[in-house]
Amino acid sequence: MPREQLTRPTGTFSGPNCDDDDCPNIYRHTDRGSIVVQGDLYAGFAVPDGEGLVEIPEHILREAVRALGW
């Protein structure tokens, strides 16, 4: 599913690590009821094939929780 079809509850952030909509963020995949996380790759440990780890700033997760009313 293209990014344009996902819900972005955290809005748009700006800062030193943001350029052309490439900021760490959280998206809601409403068709599946899941969350898609965009962030820097994290290589702290190995994950199974087909999975990945990303690292996002804490304020992004807090804003997503607030925006989703959790």
Side-chain angles (χ1 to χ4, degrees):
M1 172 177 276
R3 178 177 17 191
E4 294 78 23
Q5 294 179 1
L6 298 172
T7 303
R8 189 174 182 174
T10 53
T12 302
F13 293 101
S14 61
N17 297 324
C18 298
D19 184 26
D20 296 329
D21 205 28
D22 65 351
C23 299
N25 218 312
I26 294 174
Y27 299 88
R28 189 172 194 184
H29 192 305
T30 55
D31 292 350
R32 294 185 184 184
S34 61
I35 301 293
V36 177
V37 179
Q38 174 186 345
D40 295 328
L41 290 177
Y42 180 78
F45 56 90
V47 297
D49 288 343
E51 295 184 8
L53 299 169
V54 297
E55 187 172 8
I56 62 168
E58 182 178 328
H59 75 274
I60 301 290
L61 184 56
R62 288 183 181 276
E63 176 60 19
V65 168
R66 185 203 62 74
L68 292 169
W70 294 347

